[in-house]
Each structure stands twice: as C-alpha cells, then as structure tokens.
Amino acid sequence: MAGQLRAYRRQIRSVQATKKITRAMELIAASRIIKAQANVRASTPYARALTRAVSAAASNSSLDHPLITEKPDVRRAAVLVCSSDRGLAGAYSSNALREGERLSTLLREEGKEVAPYLVGRKAAAFYRFRRRTTEAEWAGFTDSPSYENAKEIGDRLLADFGKDASEGRVDEIHIVYTHFVNMVTQEPRVVRLLPMEVVEGVEAPTEGDLQPLYEFEPSADAVLDALLPQYVNSRIYNCLLQAAASELAARQRAMKNATDNADELIKKLTRLANNARQADITQEISEIVGGADALASAGSRA
C-alpha cells in the first residue's frame, strides 16, 4: 500500500507541473490574441478597399492583363497552405491541411497539376512525412506575421505566375487559410487569388450605401499594373493575420481544456491516494489490534 501511495503522489506532482505549463500557455495565448484581433480588424478594411479599387481598374481597363485574364488551358495550380509552426493548438493545423487536401484532389480531378507552397512547420512536416515535393516553404512567423513575410510570399508566387510554361509556370493561385470568426469558431477557407475575380458591381448597392467613383491617372491600365502586386501582397497578409488569430484562439481553447482536464485528473488521483492512505492506516490498525489480542491471549494462558 505504501508503494501505491507513493506512486499516486508522484503522478499528482507530475500532473500539477503539466498544469502549470498549460495554464501559462493559455494566458500567453489570451494576451496575444487581443493584438492579433486588432491586426485583423485593421487590415481587413484596407484589403477590401484595395480589392474593390483593383476590380474597378480592371473593369475600366481595355488591356487583357495576365493577372486578371482567365487562361484557356490551365495546367498547373499553386496551392498556398497556411498552417502553424507549433503544435498544442487543437485541430487548427489538421483542419487547414485537410482543406488543402480536399482542394488538391478537386484540382487533380479537373486535370490540373498541383504545386504546393507551404507556410508553417506543421504543413512542411506533413508533406515531408509523405515524401511529397513542394515548390517553396516559409516558417517562423505563423503566430505573428509581418507585411515583409507576406511580400516575400507574394513576390515568389507572382514570379512563378509570370514564368513561361517551360519554366514551371503556375496558371492559378489558391490560398488555404483559417478564417477567424470569433474566439470559438475558426473556419478553414479557400480563396482563389489569381487570376483575380472582378467583384466591382457584383453586389447590389444597399440603401444609403455610397459607391465610390474612380478617376485613373494616367490610365486604368497603368494603375492596374501598379495595384495588382499590392493587391496580392495585401490579400496574403490579411490571410496570414486571420490564420495567426485563429491559431492563437485555438491554442488558448486547447490549453484551457488541457488545464481543466489536469484539474479533474488531480482530483481523481487525490481521491485514489486518500483511499490508498486510508487502506494503509486501516491495515496498520488491524495489525496493532491483532497483535494486542495475541498478547492478551498469551497472557491469559500464562
């Protein structure tokens, strides 16, 4: 019984140490999610406004720009998958990877070759374990991305989009990321980045909604050439910020669940330790009483 009691106490100390770690990670994620949400709120209006401006320039342009023109024969499609660098975030990375697999399967069924571009060590490990080749990988910034990171990714994608077919050109660019809805809900989403889908004038204006009037200098074509790289980088940056906020929210929720489970396990182990201790005490009392009875019996026979 004494050995069993020591084992229970050792397990309790181990769980308590784990609980301290999960509690600290929960608090860190909770403190960082506020800044991540603010970054998402700050970047989303700019990304939407820039998308509308690029769409307006494309609507008024007479040039068949390669970034907005649908290619008749799409051979290769780039898929940028945004995952996390670290684990302990529940099903965050696995949901994004599952959505990326679903998109890749759909593209292959359409006769397109998939070129993976990966963000985060979890996605890189997923593809490396399955011995799959990738076009490019980025890591080290998934929970706090900067615009420079987005620009680096956007420059690489635009460079591959502008190559010749013999040099490994990609004809489409898709982004798989996790959209931050709220602290409880984060949804994996797929966005086709290029060729750009013109959205200007698609939605009917609501009552009281002022529609912008654009004047392009020197021309809509020149403005389009200047805006499209900014559009690509801003959309990638917004997707990275959405993914970062989703990762932190998922990690906070996962660590809270782990802390709650640790509390329950400590209570269970404490009850078992108390039962073992009580059984040990009862056995000792029984041995003492038995010894006293034996001595009393020996004394009465003498």
Side-chain angles (χ1 to χ4, degrees):
M1 286 296 180
Q4 188 177 14
L5 181 59
R6 286 194 297 270
Y8 284 138
R9 288 175 176 173
R10 185 167 56 251
Q11 292 180 26
I12 291 174
R13 289 193 297 269
S14 176
V15 175
Q16 286 175 340
T18 304
K19 176 187 172 183
K20 291 180 181 179
I21 297 174
T22 58
R23 179 60 178 169
M25 294 186 67
E26 177 190 350
L27 295 176
I28 292 173
S31 64
R32 298 181 65 182
I33 189 63
I34 299 175
K35 182 179 179 180
Q37 288 180 279
N39 291 336
V40 170
R41 288 193 297 267
S43 68
T44 300
Y46 174 78
R48 290 176 178 174
L50 186 57
T51 301
R52 292 183 64 87
V54 173
S55 299
S59 301
N60 291 274
S61 175
S62 59
L63 180 67
D64 292 334
H65 201 283
L67 298 185
I68 60 176
T69 303
E70 295 281 351
K71 292 181 174 60
D73 53 341
V74 178
R75 297 181 180 180
R76 299 186 77 221
V79 177
L80 178 65
V81 181
C82 300
S83 68
S84 65
D85 287 326
R86 298 181 295 142
L88 301 178
Y92 166 76
S93 292
S94 60
N95 288 339
L97 291 170
R98 189 180 300 112
E99 188 68 18
E101 289 293 288
R102 186 195 65 79
L103 174 62
S104 299
T105 302
L106 180 61
L107 293 173
R108 292 189 184 97
E109 291 176 352
E110 296 175 355
K112 303 173 184 176
E113 179 186 352
V114 176
Y117 295 76
L118 309 179
V119 175
R121 295 189 180 95
K122 289 298 180 180
F126 177 84
Y127 276 76
R128 193 177 301 114
F129 179 78
R130 289 158 178 79
R131 302 182 185 276
R132 299 179 184 177
T133 59
T134 59
E135 296 295 325
E137 299 177 7
W138 296 271
F141 55 84
T142 59
D143 55 352
S144 57
S146 64
Y147 184 79
E148 286 72 20
N149 302 131
K151 187 176 184 302
E152 180 183 354
I153 298 172
D155 291 344
R156 173 60 188 275
L157 290 174
L158 285 174
D160 292 350
F161 192 81
K163 290 180 178 178
D164 294 331
S166 59
E167 298 177 349
R169 180 187 67 194
V170 293
D171 303 310
E172 291 181 352
I173 298 177
H174 303 265
I175 301 180
V176 179
Y177 73 103
T178 306
H179 182 76
F180 180 83
V181 180
N182 51 49
M183 290 296 296
V184 179
T185 305
Q186 298 87 40
E187 301 175 348
R189 291 188 180 180
V190 176
V191 175
R192 195 185 79 170
L193 191 63
L194 295 176
M196 178 184 175
E197 298 176 346
V198 178
V199 299
E200 181 73 16
V202 174
E203 297 181 358
T206 59
E207 184 178 356
D209 186 16
L210 298 178
Q211 299 298 312
L213 298 176
Y214 297 100
E215 292 185 2
F216 302 102
E217 293 291 342
S219 66
D221 297 341
V223 172
L224 189 61
D225 289 335
L227 281 182
L228 275 173
Q230 299 296 328
Y231 156 77
V232 171
N233 295 336
S234 67
R235 288 298 300 270
I236 293 176
Y237 183 48
N238 184 256
C239 291
L240 292 178
L241 291 177
Q242 295 273 0
S246 300
E247 176 185 349
L248 292 172
R251 180 168 291 112
Q252 180 189 4
R253 188 168 61 253
M255 291 300 97
K256 184 180 185 306
N257 293 336
T259 303
D260 294 341
N261 292 336
D263 284 331
E264 293 297 326
L265 185 56
I266 289 172
K267 292 178 182 179
K268 180 180 178 180
L269 290 174
T270 301
R271 286 195 297 267
L272 293 175
N274 291 336
N275 292 337
R277 180 171 175 272
Q278 185 65 41
D280 194 13
I281 294 173
T282 302
Q283 182 178 357
E284 291 179 0
I285 293 175
S286 299
E287 291 174 355
I288 293 172
V289 172
D293 291 341
L295 292 175
S297 299
S300 62
R301 286 196 299 269

